[in-house]
């Protein structure tokens, strides 16, 4: 391996950042095209084919997130290059996480620039340190990076969630059974609110019926002609009397509505030639 060369290492860090950004943009464009293709397959009813494509898409998304993390670590080493240029057998605590993650995760990428940077860091800090990092003995590697590099089959819930979001984004009429059942009550409530219909529980219905019975009893206390029976005889009701709490619609509403209708008719008559 070549000896430590600070200017070359700084150039290699800049090259790695540029290549990581370019590769991320390329993978994001590919992922967008893949999503469109999955939506087309879903629309044709080929659900199993779509699920296989979604699993590959999930792995690509995870790999893109790993590239983004590695880009951040390279930028951190550039910003703290003075700590990296120190002549110590182990990296400073301020850059140790970045060094460990690059050494550990660089082989999982296809970037030659990142592989060269990894060799430079391994040569600077020695073979023993590099072996400890690659085996992650002391847990110096970030858990996020470990999860991103772990190759595992995505769960069916995650695959269904991807399919549901892709179908929603491209207006495809498809949803997994669990999501469809969970959406039913919400849709029913929304429809009732849209059409002005509501369903009351049994307890609310009983309270409503009690209020209605009170209104019926109060109406029965009145006699023809709008008079009210008392001990002293019939008395005319006061026009300013208020309704009892819990009663139904106020009695003044029909009068207001009829006056409004009359005004509307007069307005129409005025508009006639």
């Amino acid at each position: 391996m070549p000896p430590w060369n600070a200017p070359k290492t700084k150039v290699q860090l800049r090259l790695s950042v540029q290549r990581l950004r370019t590769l991320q943009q390329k993978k994001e464009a590919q992922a967008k095209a893949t999503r469109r293709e999955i939506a087309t397959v879903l629309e044709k009813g080929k659900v199993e084919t779509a699920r296989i494509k979604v699993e590959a898409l999930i792995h690509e998304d995870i790999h893109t997130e790993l590239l983004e993390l590695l880009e951040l670590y390279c930028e951190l080493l550039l910003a703290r290059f003075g700590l990296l240029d120190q002549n110590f057998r182990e990296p400073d605590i301020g850059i140790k996480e970045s060094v460990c993650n690059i050494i550990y995760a660089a082989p999982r990428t296809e970037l030659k620039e990142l592989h060269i940077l990894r060799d430079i860091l391994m040569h600077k800090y020695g073979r023993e340190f590099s072996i400890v990092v690659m085996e992650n003995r002391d847990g110096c590697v970030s858990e996020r990076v470990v999860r991103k590099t772990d190759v595992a089959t995505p769960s069916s819930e995650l695959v269904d969630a991807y399919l549901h979001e892709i179908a929603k984004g491209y207006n495809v009429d498809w949803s997994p059974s669990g999501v469809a059942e969970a959406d039913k009550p919400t849709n029913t409530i929304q429809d009732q609110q849209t059409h002005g219909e509501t369903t009351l529980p049994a307890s609310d219905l009983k309270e409503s019926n009690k209020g209605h019975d009170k209104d019926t009893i109060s109406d029965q206390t009145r006699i023809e002609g709008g008079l009210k029976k008392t001990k002293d005889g019939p008395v005319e009701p006061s026009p300013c009397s208020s309704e009892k709490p819990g009663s139904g619609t106020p009695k003044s509403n029909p009068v207001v509505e009829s006056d409004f209708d009359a005004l509307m008719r007069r307005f129409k008559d005025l508009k006639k030639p």
Side-chain angles (χ1 to χ4, degrees):
M1 290 183 181
W4 171 256
N5 188 330
K8 181 181 178 180
T9 304
K10 186 175 288 188
V11 170
Q12 199 64 37
L13 281 168
R14 293 197 179 101
L15 288 174
S16 299
V17 170
Q18 292 176 359
R19 288 286 292 123
L20 284 165
R21 288 177 183 172
T22 303
L23 186 58
Q24 286 177 63
Q25 294 173 357
K26 180 181 177 182
K27 288 189 174 296
E28 287 173 359
Q30 291 176 348
K32 187 176 180 180
T34 304
R35 286 182 172 88
R36 191 180 299 110
E37 182 181 355
I38 292 171
T40 304
V41 173
L42 268 181
E43 195 172 9
K44 294 179 180 178
K46 301 178 179 179
V47 179
E48 293 303 323
T49 303
R51 293 180 71 87
I52 294 173
K53 290 182 178 294
V54 163
E55 289 188 10
L57 177 64
I58 292 173
H59 286 301
E60 287 297 323
D61 285 350
I62 293 174
H63 187 68
T64 303
E65 293 173 1
L66 175 63
L67 296 178
E68 184 179 356
L69 290 174
L70 290 174
E71 178 191 348
L72 293 175
Y73 288 133
C74 290
E75 289 180 343
L76 181 63
L77 290 181
L78 274 173
R80 301 177 181 178
F81 192 78
L83 297 176
L84 184 64
D85 196 26
Q86 293 177 351
N87 190 18
F88 294 129
R89 296 302 299 171
E90 286 194 5
D92 187 88
I93 189 66
I95 60 172
K96 185 175 181 179
E97 182 180 357
S98 299
V99 171
C100 292
N101 283 292
I102 291 173
I103 292 175
Y104 181 85
R108 276 79 169 180
T109 68
E110 59 271 33
L111 292 177
K112 182 180 178 182
E113 292 80 5
L114 202 61
H115 294 171
I116 295 175
L117 176 63
R118 176 178 182 265
D119 292 339
I120 293 174
L121 294 175
M122 291 175 67
H123 176 70
K124 177 175 176 59
Y125 294 110
R127 182 173 178 273
E128 293 182 3
F129 175 80
S130 302
I131 292 174
V132 171
V133 172
M134 286 186 289
E135 295 179 356
N136 195 20
R137 292 179 187 173
D138 56 356
C140 63
V141 181
S142 171
E143 291 184 4
R144 293 180 63 189
V145 172
V146 173
R147 289 197 303 268
K148 304 297 181 192
T149 55
D150 185 22
V151 180
T153 304
S155 63
S156 59
E157 291 81 7
L158 181 59
V159 173
D160 287 340
Y162 259 72
L163 286 172
H164 184 57
E165 290 301 321
I166 291 172
K168 187 190 301 183
Y170 289 91
N171 297 322
V172 178
D173 187 13
W174 183 91
S175 61
S177 57
V179 175
E181 292 176 359
D183 290 343
K184 281 183 180 179
T186 305
N187 295 336
T188 304
I189 294 171
Q190 290 176 352
D191 293 340
Q192 291 174 354
Q193 292 175 351
T194 303
H195 297 290
E197 298 175 358
T198 54
T199 303
L200 295 177
S203 59
D204 294 344
L205 285 174
K206 291 180 180 178
E207 294 296 331
S208 177
N209 290 335
K210 289 180 181 178
H212 179 69
D213 294 340
K214 290 180 181 179
D215 293 341
T216 305
I217 295 171
S218 62
D219 290 340
Q220 290 175 354
T221 60
R222 295 188 176 90
I223 62 174
E224 294 182 3
L227 299 179
K228 192 173 182 180
K229 288 184 178 180
T230 61
K231 293 181 179 179
D232 299 331
V235 179
E236 294 184 358
S238 174
C240 300
S241 61
S242 59
E243 295 291 330
K244 291 183 179 180
S247 61
T249 306
K251 299 300 180 180
S252 60
N253 281 350
V255 179
V256 174
E257 292 177 359
S258 61
D259 290 343
F260 178 78
D261 294 337
L263 288 173
M264 289 300 296
R265 284 196 300 272
R266 290 178 58 189
F267 182 71
K268 290 180 180 178
D269 294 336
L270 290 173
K271 290 176 66 177
K272 291 180 180 179

